């Protein structure tokens, strides 16, 4: 990277700016909700007061959740889908526990006031108060979605099934909102409260509509992608080339990925995340995938001319976050695809470490070598069993990393590969005390 390019970077790093903005937004809304709650007045019953406050915080968390899953380009480019998905998961836990607290404290509080049993009080509220039954249904839906998001369930569900279950979250949000309108004391307590909550909910809904519906439809109508070639890279790896209109206007960067739908009779409903395996050149796009499942394997049978619906681009695994003049790119297996694209885009001196079991598994290696030769980069292919340990420890352990790249502390490090390998490399970098701001890894998990 030249000194001019380094100086041209923004004074505030994109990731820090996005994090700060998001946390400031959340903090301001927590303060606003607390103030509105105090203005509405508290109940003489402590349990009811706690329950109402928990309900308001739960409603705020649901609105914030919508913002996280909206896939807004400004946030995604700066924070990355994996970070947003992690926050989405923790916000989901927050919603679950705040709404559970709301239900329990409100029910026990009113049971105490009316001197009835807890179950009797809940049944009576559901039968006599508008919106209670809707709230109970919303809570049940959130429980189902939470169960489907647990690790043991997520591993056993197809992405399409998992995604379909998560779509019910929007129904739960709508039911919870109507409950808030019907019974929310702070909602109906003042014109200020009404204005705040309507603005918050409509803003969150508009973000989802824009990011998940309007923008993808508009981009696909504009670019009209079609398959132009299907190339076998190895017995179990295939590349798909696509072209379309005005691709020079598509805001895709090397290192990013799309959710691809190939509009054939048997797979139009399947959406799969694949990274770009070549830097966008304004004329075509390319993905390269390994046959890890039926969906990936069926890419070989795509016909030339097949229409493609692509959602994205997504991901912060790009040079927008590069801070140092030189870079280290670490890839494992088919994780080489975004790394190969980044090699075209990164300035400065670049070292590529490509971890595979055998030389035959090193897909796209001829392209990597050609690119490295053209730009003075160094490519090293590291072969051996997954758990191979040498005199200096693991192949991508701290000792070996430091030996292969002595100036690793002075480089940005981009890591992409299987979860185990990625985690191991990140641990090695922490042991080597490489500044976290220079380390970039994205696992490309998806929020619903």
């Amino acid at each position: 990277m030249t000194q001019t390019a380094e100086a041209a970077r923004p004074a505030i790093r994109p990731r820090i700016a996005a994090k700060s903005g998001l946390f400031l937004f959340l903090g301001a809304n927590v303060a606003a909700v607390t103030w509105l709650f105090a203005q509405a007045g508290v109940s003489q019953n402590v349990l009811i007061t706690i329950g109402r406050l928990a309900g308001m915080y739960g409603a705020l968390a649901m609105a914030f959740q919508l913002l996280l899953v909206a896939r807004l380009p400004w946030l995604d480019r700066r924070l990355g889908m994996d970070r947003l998905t992690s926050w989405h998961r923790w916000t989901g836990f927050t919603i679950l526990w705040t709404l559970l607290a709301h239900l329990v404290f409100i029910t026990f509080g009113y049971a105490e006031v009316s001197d009835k049993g807890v179950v009797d009080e809940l049944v009576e509220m559901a039968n006599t108060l508008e919106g209670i039954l809707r709230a109970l249904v919303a809570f049940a839906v959130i429980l189902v979605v939470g169960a489907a998001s647990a690790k043991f369930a997520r591993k056993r569900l197809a992405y399409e099934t998992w995604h379909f279950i998560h779509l019910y979250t929007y129904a739960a949000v709508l039911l919870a909102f109507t409950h808030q309108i019907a019974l929310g004391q702070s909602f109906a307590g003042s014109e200020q409260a009404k204005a705040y909550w309507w603005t918050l909910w409509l803003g969150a809904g508009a973000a989802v509509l824009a990011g998940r519906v309007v923008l993808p439809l508009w981009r696909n109508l504009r670019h009209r992608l079609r398959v132009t070639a299907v190339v076998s890279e190895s017995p179990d790896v295939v590349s798909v080339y696509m072209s379309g209109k005005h691709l020079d206007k598509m805001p895709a960067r090397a290192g990013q990925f799309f959710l691809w739908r190939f509009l054939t009779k048997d797979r139009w409903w399947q959406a799969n995340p694949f990274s770009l395996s070549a830097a966008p050149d304004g004329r075509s796009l390319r993905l390269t995938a390994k046959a890890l499942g039926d969906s990936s394997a069926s890419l070989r049978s795509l016909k030339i001319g097949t229409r493609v619906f692509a959602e994205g681009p997504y991901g912060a695994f790009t040079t927008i976050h590069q801070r140092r003049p030189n870079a280290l790119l670490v890839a494992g297996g088919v994780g080489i695809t975004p790394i190969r694209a980044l090699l075209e885009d990164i300035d400065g001196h670049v070292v590529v470490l490509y971890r595979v079991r055998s030389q035959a598994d090193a897909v796209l290696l001829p392209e990597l070598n050609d690119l490295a030769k053209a730009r003075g980069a160094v490519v090293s292919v590291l072969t051996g069993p997954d758990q191979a340990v040498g005199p200096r420890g693991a192949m991508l352990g701290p000792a070996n990393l430091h030996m292969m790249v002595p100036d690793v502390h002075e480089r940005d490090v981009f890591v992409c590969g299987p979860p185990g390998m990625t985690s191991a490399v990140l641990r090695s970098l922490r042991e080597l005390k490489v500044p976290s701001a220079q380390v970039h890894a994205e696992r490309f998990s998806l929020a619903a």
Side-chain angles (χ1 to χ4, degrees):
M1 185 182 303
T2 64
Q3 290 183 347
T4 302
E6 180 77 14
R9 291 204 180 278
I12 300 178
R13 296 177 183 176
R15 186 171 293 139
I16 294 175
K19 275 186 179 180
S20 302
L22 209 54
F23 288 139
L24 182 62
F25 170 81
L26 182 59
N29 278 277
V30 169
V33 165
T34 306
W35 183 80
L36 289 173
F37 175 78
Q39 291 296 107
V42 298
S43 170
Q44 292 182 345
N45 185 284
V46 176
L47 296 179
I48 294 175
T49 297
I50 295 173
R52 286 176 177 169
L53 185 59
M56 292 182 68
Y57 287 147
L60 176 60
M62 293 178 85
F64 186 66
Q65 186 77 297
L66 291 179
L67 181 63
L68 292 179
V69 302
R71 297 180 185 167
L72 298 177
W74 189 87
L75 280 177
D76 180 74
R77 283 197 301 268
R78 288 159 176 79
L79 296 175
M81 191 71 77
D82 65 328
R83 185 172 278 102
L84 289 173
T85 300
S86 176
W87 292 356
H88 163 78
R89 184 166 55 253
W90 286 107
T91 304
F93 291 141
T94 302
I95 292 171
L96 179 61
W97 289 110
T98 53
L99 295 188
L100 179 61
H102 174 63
L103 174 63
V104 170
F105 281 103
I106 286 288
T107 305
F108 273 80
Y110 277 106
E112 186 177 276
V113 170
S114 63
D115 199 24
K116 292 181 180 178
V118 173
V119 175
D120 291 339
E121 181 63 33
L122 182 60
V123 171
E124 182 174 333
M125 287 193 299
N127 287 329
T128 60
L129 294 178
E130 181 186 358
I132 292 293
L133 188 58
R134 293 195 294 269
L136 292 174
V137 172
F139 183 66
V141 170
I142 289 171
L143 285 177
V144 172
V145 172
S149 300
K151 286 186 178 180
F152 73 89
R154 181 67 187 92
K155 290 178 180 178
R156 291 165 174 78
L157 292 173
Y159 170 75
E160 289 77 18
T161 303
W162 175 81
H163 186 264
F164 181 76
I165 292 172
H166 269 66
L167 291 179
Y168 282 100
T169 304
Y170 297 115
V173 169
L174 182 60
L175 290 170
F177 179 54
T178 59
H179 163 71
Q180 188 181 23
I181 292 175
L183 292 175
Q185 183 178 348
S186 65
F187 189 93
S190 69
E191 292 303 316
Q192 286 178 315
K194 287 182 181 178
Y196 168 80
W197 283 109
W198 275 108
T199 301
L200 181 68
W201 283 112
L202 290 176
V208 172
L209 185 64
R212 302 296 292 266
V213 180
V214 175
L215 187 58
L217 285 175
W218 178 78
R219 282 181 175 167
N220 280 276
L221 286 173
R222 185 184 193 192
H223 299 302
R224 300 179 182 276
L225 292 174
R226 290 183 181 274
V227 174
T228 56
V230 179
V231 177
S232 177
E233 305 288 357
S234 76
D236 60 350
V237 177
V238 63
S239 290
V240 179
Y241 292 76
M242 291 151 285
S243 66
K245 298 182 178 180
H246 312 296
L247 293 189
D248 57 319
K249 304 297 183 183
M250 180 178 281
R253 298 178 65 103
Q256 291 189 301
F257 70 101
F258 287 79
L259 287 175
W260 306 94
R261 293 178 187 268
F262 296 95
L263 305 184
T264 61
K265 185 167 53 177
D266 58 339
R267 58 177 299 150
W268 62 268
W269 51 276
Q270 295 178 325
N272 296 102
F274 295 121
S275 298
L276 295 173
S277 58
D281 60 6
R283 299 183 301 277
S284 65
L285 300 175
R286 185 183 76 171
L287 68 85
T288 301
K290 190 172 184 178
L292 297 174
D294 293 340
S295 181
S296 300
S298 64
L299 292 176
R300 291 182 182 277
S301 63
L302 286 174
K303 305 297 184 185
I304 306 304
T306 298
R307 290 289 303 274
V308 183
F309 189 93
E311 296 178 51
Y314 297 129
F317 197 68
T318 69
T319 57
I320 189 177
H321 298 292
Q322 187 180 0
R323 309 307 306 171
R324 308 295 295 179
N326 302 318
L328 166 63
L329 310 182
V330 185
V334 79
I336 194 62
T337 55
I339 294 294
R340 183 256 180 245
L342 277 175
L343 184 56
E344 292 184 77
D345 198 40
I346 289 184
D347 294 320
H349 182 265
V350 181
V351 174
V352 180
L353 302 180
Y354 188 5
R355 179 73 173 90
V356 288
R357 289 188 180 183
S358 67
Q359 195 81 10
D361 296 320
V363 296
L364 304 180
L365 184 57
E367 294 184 19
L368 282 172
N369 288 331
D370 289 343
L371 281 171
K373 184 177 180 180
R375 60 190 320 273
V378 175
V379 175
S380 297
V381 180
L382 311 178
T383 60
D386 290 343
Q387 305 302 323
V389 177
R392 293 185 178 85
M395 196 171 295
L396 289 173
N400 278 324
L401 270 181
H402 190 263
M403 180 199 70
M404 292 183 287
V405 192
D407 63 342
V408 63
H409 299 87
E410 302 301 320
R411 295 175 180 264
D412 275 89
V413 185
F414 292 80
V415 186
C416 186
M421 188 215 81
T422 299
S423 297
V425 173
L426 295 181
R427 284 195 301 270
S428 296
L429 294 171
R430 285 195 294 270
E431 289 187 39
L432 291 171
K433 294 182 171 51
V434 176
S436 60
Q438 295 168 213
V439 179
H440 319 281
E442 192 157 39
R443 294 173 176 85
F444 310 135
S445 358
L446 296 173

